[in-house]
Each structure stands twice: as structure tokens, then as C-alpha cells.
Amino acid sequence: MDHPHAPPQAPGAVAPASRGARYWRLRSLTRLDLSTFSIARREVVWMWTVVSIAAVALVAVGWPVTASGYNTHPVAAMALTIVHCAAAIMAVRWAWAGLGASVPAALGLMIVTAGAAPEWPWPWPVTVLLTHCLTVFVLALRHSWYWAASLWLAGAMLTVLAPALIVGDADASAGANGVVLVSLSGGIALVGVLVRLWILSVVRMEQAERLSAAEAGRRRELEERNRIARELHDVVAHSMSVITVQASTARYRQPGLDDAIQQEFEEIAASSRRALGEMRGLLGLLRGQDTAPTAPMPGLSDIAELVRATRASGAEITYVGTEAVVPDAVGLTGFRVVQEALSNALRHAPGSAIAVTVTEGGHDLRVRITNTAPARSEETTPGAQLGLAGIRERAAALGGTVTSHPTPDGGFEISATLPVGEDEHPRLA
């Protein structure tokens, strides 16, 4: 609980703005689940970097080699080389785009380089062969195996069919060149598939380790909650049970008590029984038991009984209530605000006059509790500085506000404004 004359707590720091937009952009770029980005994300970043560098290098080498060595028009050589190398970059994200660009570009390069001197490799020039293998490797590493297999098969078909369709006959050098392409691209595809399987196994292992750590954390949390429940039971529940029994049996143990004193003991017994019931419910929740008490939570209709029970302690309390029908969450929050304010007034302003007002106007429920300056100078019971913070959090969850401040006459005031309209607190839905 908070000292009622202490200044209101400073509002919490505003959470940093959400970075969800950047995360979604990263997901659309990498096609990976961000919960497993430690290994997989590094693989993707390196893939983009290495493939881009390799593609640029192949363009820088392949364009002049194709244009000068194979006597090809520079514009045609440049266009086809750029498309063929860009296919490897596109394959990192889109398998169909990489496959769709690589095959026509390779065929176009075979056509424009068909008239080269016999000493130049054909139908697969060295730079074209390397670019084709790079695209196969990217498809095998980033996508399902059948994409790499499709491009490898397309390359094999081009090796067999292109010489017959373009020059009408294929010599031994063309056959040897095709064998190199088929064997090299097949081996690279196999390596890419194996590396992909290794990366997936590492990612799954990381997921399992992360899940195991989360389960261990939940287990430690449950153990801590059970320990707290045991401590509460040992320290509080037993003492409350003793108070209940002592107050209930006072009339029998102390014969001759007048009616007023007997009534006082009955009020003490009733209050301790209520507190003991709430304590049992709290212990059940802490232990995570499905059999925790499910009695209705208090609401606005219970404030009058709360005020009556508090008057039994000798406090002078005036109460003006309302019979308005409000959502259960709003009624519970209003009850807790009054409960906390009365508790603070009794603890820190003994002998003061307390006024409780609960009104409903428009779309808001207004709860106001004021107390005068303490009538007696007594040592106050220190609090944990959590009471006002707790009711502020309750109110904020409903979209409401709580203010607390000293009054000019030396007293204290706590006011809460809680929205009751359905559209005012959608977070409860």
C-alpha cells in the first residue's frame, strides 16, 4: 500500500516505438521465421552478399569476354550477360524467377556465341557455365531440391539440343563441354542440397534449445509461485485462521461481554473470514490449480458492505453510491479503488472523516474518496508503495485514470474515472 500523503508516482517510461514494420520487411526479404534468425539469418545475409558480389564479378568478366572473344555485338553480350547473372540474384528470393531468367539467357548466349573460333569453349562459354552453376547452387541452397534439379535438367537438355538446332552438328569439343557442364552443375546441386539440410538441422536444433530454455523458465516460474504460495500459507493464512477462531469464540471464552463488544468481535471474525477466503483463492491461482475458488468477484454493489464493515473499526465514513449497471471489470476496479483508499486512510490518517462518492454520468464511472487530516497523532504502518500503483494499472487497463493528491485541509483525495461504454475499453474483449 502507499502512503496517502506521498506524491503520485511518476508515469512509466513510454515503450519504444514498434519495429514491426522493419521486421515484416525483413521477413518478406528472407522468407525466414524471425524466431530462428540466429543461424538462418546469417546464412541469408551471407547468401545475398556473396551472390551479389559473384554476379557483379561475372558480369564484369563475362561481358567483355563474350563481346571480344566470341565476336558478339557488345549490346547483345551486355544484355544477355546481365540477365543471366541477375538470375542468380533473383533465385535467392524467387526460385521461379531465377529459373525463368537463367534458361532463356543461357540459350541466347549460346546463339550469339555459336560463330566463335574452335578454340573457344562452346556451347557453354566459361563465364556462362560458371553463372549457370552459381544459379543452380543458389536454388539448391535456398529452395526445395526440385528447383535445382529442374535447372540442372534444363542445362542438360540445352547441352544436347542447342548444338543440333543452332549449328546442325556437334563436334567432340561441344560434347566435352556439355559433359563438364552437366557433371559440374550436378555436383554443385548436390552440395547445395546437403548444405541446406545441414542448415535446417542446425535451425531445428536451435529451436529445440530455445523451446527447452522457455520450458525451463516456465518450470522455474511455477516453482517460485509454489514457494510464494507456501510462504503465504505459512505466514498469513495460519494467522488469519487464528484471528477468525479467536474472534468467533470470544463470547464463549469471555462471558459477560456486552452486546457492542460482541458485535465488534463478530465484525472482526467476518472480516477475517473474507480475507481468508480471498487468500485461499490467491493461493490457488499461485499454484496454478484448476480448482481455485470461482466465487463472483466484488463489484459496485459490494461497496456498501465494504463501507459498513470498515465503519466497524470506528471510522467515520459517509457513502453516496449509485445503482448503475456497469461491466464486471469496471465494477471490480471501482471496488478495489474504494478498498485501497479506505485502507490507506485507516492506516495513515487515523481518526479522520472519510467520504466515499460513486457516481455514473455519461459514459464514465467516477469514484472519489477523500479524508480529512488525521485526528490523532499515531505512528503509521509503513506500506509497500504498491497500492496506488496497482489501482492505476487496473484503471489504465480499462482506459481510465486515477489521480491522488493532498487536500488543502491536510487530508488526501483519490479520484478514479473509468469508462463504462463498450467502445471505451476494447482491450477487455
Side-chain angles (χ1 to χ4, degrees):
M1 297 183 185
D2 297 326
H3 194 293
H5 297 284
Q9 296 180 355
V14 178
S18 172
R19 298 182 177 86
R22 271 184 283 172
Y23 286 170
W24 280 109
R25 285 198 296 270
L26 180 60
R27 288 195 66 171
S28 66
L29 190 65
T30 63
R31 302 182 65 211
L32 289 171
D33 189 348
L34 291 180
S35 63
T36 60
F37 67 86
S38 54
I39 290 292
R41 183 182 174 184
R42 289 198 296 269
E43 177 257 327
V44 171
V45 172
W46 276 105
M47 175 66 70
W48 278 105
T49 304
V50 172
V51 172
S52 298
I53 294 175
V56 171
L58 286 171
V59 170
V61 175
W63 174 21
V65 169
T66 303
S68 60
Y70 288 85
N71 298 320
T72 303
H73 193 282
V75 175
M78 179 185 68
L80 291 172
T81 302
I82 290 177
V83 172
H84 198 214
C85 293
I89 300 176
M90 290 187 289
V92 176
R93 177 63 180 86
W94 303 286
W96 58 268
L99 179 62
S102 179
V103 175
L107 179 60
L109 286 168
M110 289 179 182
I111 294 174
V112 299
T113 58
E119 62 269 15
W120 288 91
W122 190 85
W124 292 96
V126 175
T127 55
V128 178
L129 186 148
L130 293 177
T131 304
H132 179 81
C133 291
L134 175 63
T135 307
V136 169
F137 181 72
V138 172
L139 289 174
L141 191 61
R142 290 285 296 132
H143 305 282
S144 298
W145 63 269
Y146 52 80
W147 290 105
S150 299
L151 184 57
W152 175 85
L153 182 61
M157 293 178 64
L158 288 177
T159 301
V160 174
L161 299 178
L165 296 176
I166 296 173
V167 298
D169 189 16
D171 55 14
S173 62
N177 180 260
V179 170
V180 172
L181 179 281
V182 172
S183 58
L184 184 59
S185 61
I188 289 177
L190 181 61
V191 171
V193 170
L194 294 177
V195 173
R196 172 180 169 81
L197 292 177
W198 174 79
I199 291 175
L200 290 177
S201 66
V202 172
V203 169
R204 291 191 185 100
M205 183 177 64
E206 283 196 344
Q207 287 178 318
E209 291 177 352
R210 193 173 290 111
L211 180 60
S212 177
E215 291 294 338
R218 282 192 289 268
R219 185 167 56 252
R220 287 193 297 269
E221 180 184 354
L222 289 176
E223 292 174 354
E224 182 65 15
R225 288 170 62 179
N226 284 330
R227 186 188 68 80
I228 294 173
R230 288 194 299 270
E231 293 293 334
L232 284 174
H233 181 271
D234 295 341
V235 175
V236 180
H238 174 71
S239 299
M240 294 300 298
S241 300
V242 172
I243 293 172
T244 302
V245 172
Q246 288 179 334
S248 300
T249 61
R251 65 171 65 190
Y252 307 110
R253 294 183 292 100
Q254 303 292 337
L257 296 176
D258 58 31
D259 293 340
I261 296 179
Q262 290 183 11
Q263 181 64 27
E264 184 79 14
F265 278 114
E266 290 176 0
E267 294 288 347
I268 294 174
S271 297
S272 60
R273 278 193 294 269
R274 284 195 300 271
L276 189 58
E278 293 186 2
M279 179 64 66
R280 289 195 182 100
L282 176 61
L283 293 177
L285 292 175
L286 284 174
R287 291 191 175 107
Q289 296 175 353
D290 295 334
T291 57
T294 56
M297 299 299 290
L300 291 185
S301 59
D302 299 296
I303 294 179
E305 175 62 23
L306 174 65
V307 171
R308 187 189 67 80
T310 308
R311 285 193 184 117
S313 66
E316 178 186 346
I317 305 175
T318 59
Y319 172 59
V320 177
T322 178
E323 297 182 357
V325 178
V326 299
D328 293 341
V330 176
L332 173 61
T333 301
F335 179 89
R336 295 304 186 196
V337 170
V338 175
Q339 186 180 48
E340 176 65 21
L342 292 178
S343 176
N344 279 353
L346 293 178
R347 286 160 54 88
H348 303 296
S352 63
I354 306 172
V356 178
T357 305
V358 181
T359 59
E360 193 272 337
H363 297 287
D364 293 327
L365 178 73
R366 296 180 178 86
V367 181
R368 182 171 179 265
I369 306 95
T370 60
N371 63 268
T372 61
R376 302 187 301 272
S377 177
E378 298 179 1
E379 182 179 355
T380 61
T381 305
Q385 302 297 318
L386 297 177
L388 290 179
I391 62 176
R392 286 193 185 101
E393 291 173 357
R394 285 179 177 271
L398 300 174
T401 58
V402 174
T403 60
S404 56
H405 55 83
T407 58
D409 62 355
F412 201 77
E413 175 181 321
I414 296 178
S415 300
T417 302
L418 308 174
V420 297
E422 293 184 358
D423 59 340
E424 296 294 335
H425 45 85
R427 283 172 287 182
L428 296 179

